[in-house]
Amino acid sequence: MSMSLALHGGSPVRSTMLTYGQQWIDEQDIAAVVQVLKSRELTQGPRVPEFERAVAQEAGARYAVAFSSGTAALHGAAYAAGIGPGDEVITTPITFAASSNCVLYQGGTPVFADIQSDTYNIDPLNIERKITTRTKAIIPVDYTGQPADMEAIRALADKYGLVVIEDAAHSLGATYKGRKVGTLADMTMFSFHPLKHVTTAEGGVIVTDNPDYCRKLEMFRSHGITKDPSLLQTNEGPWYYEMQELGYHYRMTDLHAALGLSQMSKLERFVQRRREIASIYNEAFADLPGIITPYQSPDTNSSWHLYMIQLELSRFTEGRRVWFEALRAENIGVHVHYIPVYKLPYYRQLGYASGLCPLAERYYEAVITLPIFPKMTSSDVQDVIQAVKKIHASYNIS
């Protein structure tokens, strides 16, 4: 049938737009930031190491190094791993561009492996097919909050002598085979963007058990400069410092860290609410023909950064865009995650072409992101369900 917004000519489900994600800031968070504003140290003070310890403890890691953003943290990890010109790094195309851009920053070459058809995470079998003598690292992404198949990826890394940098921007608080995300890779990146599980406004952290990686990360985020007496090549006095490597100004401020510290105390509650909403969605959409709800591997316990539905396009022949615009007309702020990275104009200029990862491309054409965040009320959740069912009913399929 011909779908159009005219089919929804009555009142929309909601009177105001419900975004797909939103931070939850309370008075405790505000007070924590104000306390730093009233202090002497807005940056390079005590809050950053306190926040790093809290993240390391949550992740089960020995070290945590905070950065000004998740992208900066990934750049630091690529640097610490020794990625440089001539090196190849395998990652997934179903991710935000930062997952592969960090390789380009270091002069390396991203290589895209296709996804699994069930979890939509990177496929270890496809990873192995892409490994060459130039492969230096693997960057798996825990898409939507469900950890990638890290056991299989770790086995490949050990077999071929590769570094594993887990992009866990979506998966703080998730587990894989009973183990916390943060204990599964050589380095793991967490993002603290406002749409993530907890926020520092902008920020990222790398956790690792490797002291050499930790040292490189700490220097890289601070211009490549050290004041550590044990690392100095010479020492002219208490004021003395050395720039030993080429680094960047990627430090997190105490303002951001204070917010993150306060937010970390709510992580368990926030993740639990995301899981509750996902469960409600799964039950509500289970019997809708043509709607595929997210598969969850029994090996994982997702922290549900995103909730996706996939359309069976053989039933909805007009495609995803009609659904997207119809849901927006109902004031449900749906989104799409993600355009396959290699299809972006910059990557096309580098020589990447369509057809590299057929499963990823088919998935992208059919997926819609629904709202999911802890601050959603029960009424908000039901509005999303009502809107999806309203549009589905317009097709009269069974």
Side-chain angles (χ1 to χ4, degrees):
M1 64 171 291
S2 178
M3 280 279 288
S4 71
L5 298 186
L7 282 171
H8 308 283
S11 298
V13 166
R14 292 178 58 89
S15 59
T16 59
M17 184 65 73
L18 176 69
T19 183
Y20 82 89
Q22 183 184 335
Q23 72 276 7
W24 192 348
I25 303 297
D26 62 17
E27 292 301 320
Q28 174 188 318
D29 301 324
I30 294 169
V33 174
V34 169
Q35 185 177 14
V36 174
L37 284 169
K38 292 179 176 180
S39 74
R40 296 173 58 187
E41 296 168 306
L42 300 187
T43 189
Q44 294 181 273
R47 291 296 184 270
V48 173
E50 289 173 12
F51 177 59
E52 289 172 332
R53 286 192 292 272
V55 175
Q57 182 176 2
E58 169 59 33
R62 290 178 64 188
Y63 309 107
V65 183
F67 287 78
S68 55
S69 70
T71 300
L74 281 173
H75 188 186
Y79 172 83
I83 295 165
D87 292 331
E88 295 177 349
V89 178
I90 300 172
T91 191
T92 173
I94 299 297
T95 184
F96 186 62
S99 305
S100 54
N101 285 353
C102 65
V103 179
L104 296 177
Y105 298 155
Q106 289 299 109
T109 300
V111 175
F112 295 98
D114 214 343
I115 62 173
Q116 296 172 315
S117 59
D118 51 5
T119 65
Y120 316 131
N121 276 323
I122 194 169
D123 184 351
L125 295 176
N126 203 250
I127 291 174
E128 187 161 25
R129 296 188 194 109
K130 301 294 179 80
I131 292 173
T132 72
T133 56
R134 295 182 296 278
T135 306
K136 186 69 172 281
I138 306 169
I139 302 180
V141 176
D142 298 336
Y143 179 59
T144 75
Q146 177 170 211
D149 188 352
M150 294 303 294
E151 186 173 78
I153 291 168
R154 180 78 266 170
L156 288 174
D158 292 344
K159 179 179 178 180
Y160 294 99
L162 308 177
V163 179
V164 179
I165 302 168
E166 186 175 5
D167 183 339
H170 293 184
S171 60
L172 182 65
T175 59
Y176 173 83
K177 295 190 173 183
R179 294 176 60 185
K180 290 183 176 182
V181 171
T183 65
L184 307 168
D186 297 301
M187 288 177 274
T188 303
M189 186 280 290
F190 296 115
S191 170
F192 296 90
H193 181 273
L195 298 182
K196 299 303 193 299
H197 299 82
V198 299
T199 187
T200 57
E202 285 283 4
V205 168
I206 298 291
V207 297
T208 183
D209 287 342
N210 186 312
D212 291 333
Y213 287 152
C214 180
R215 180 191 65 81
K216 290 178 180 179
L217 290 162
E218 288 176 338
M219 291 188 66
F220 186 75
R221 71 173 175 185
S222 193
H223 309 279
I225 289 174
T226 184
K227 296 181 179 180
D228 185 341
S230 68
L231 298 176
L232 296 177
Q233 296 177 13
T234 186
N235 194 338
E236 298 179 3
W239 68 88
Y240 187 72
Y241 61 88
E242 291 179 345
M243 178 180 162
Q244 298 180 343
E245 302 170 14
L246 181 60
Y248 290 75
H249 182 190
Y250 278 163
R251 292 191 301 265
M252 177 181 284
T253 72
D254 279 52
L255 290 170
H256 294 85
L259 176 58
L261 264 172
S262 179
Q263 286 264 299
M264 285 294 290
S265 67
K266 310 173 185 71
L267 174 62
E268 184 176 355
R269 173 163 57 91
F270 285 174
V271 171
Q272 182 57 35
R273 178 56 179 158
R274 288 177 177 272
R275 288 172 176 158
E276 289 171 358
I277 295 169
S279 180
I280 294 168
Y281 283 163
N282 285 341
E283 183 177 356
F285 304 142
D287 297 326
L288 293 184
I291 302 294
I292 301 170
T293 54
Y295 168 80
Q296 293 295 289
S297 166
D299 290 335
T300 68
N301 191 8
S302 178
S303 52
W304 291 100
H305 167 56
L306 299 172
Y307 186 95
M308 332 295 289
I309 57 172
Q310 190 178 358
L311 306 176
E312 292 183 19
L313 295 181
S314 60
R315 294 176 182 261
F316 306 109
T317 55
E318 289 180 308
R320 186 255 316 280
R321 182 165 181 169
V322 171
W323 267 85
F324 184 94
E325 292 179 347
L327 284 166
R328 284 284 180 98
E330 299 293 339
N331 283 322
I332 304 299
V334 292
H335 213 291
V336 172
H337 294 87
Y338 291 96
I339 302 168
V341 174
Y342 59 78
K343 291 174 71 71
L344 298 172
Y346 183 83
Y347 279 80
R348 293 204 310 268
Q349 293 172 13
L350 296 178
Y352 295 88
S354 295
L356 279 178
C357 300
L359 290 178
E361 292 181 26
R362 287 200 292 271
Y363 173 70
Y364 162 66
E365 292 171 356
V367 71
I368 299 176
T369 307
L370 300 183
I372 185 168
F373 54 94
K375 202 173 182 179
M376 287 179 72
T377 66
S378 296
S379 178
D380 292 334
V381 175
Q382 291 305 315
D383 286 345
V384 176
I385 294 169
Q386 182 182 345
V388 170
K389 289 186 173 181
K390 177 179 178 181
I391 296 163
H392 186 274
S394 302
Y395 281 92
N396 296 316
I397 64 172
S398 60

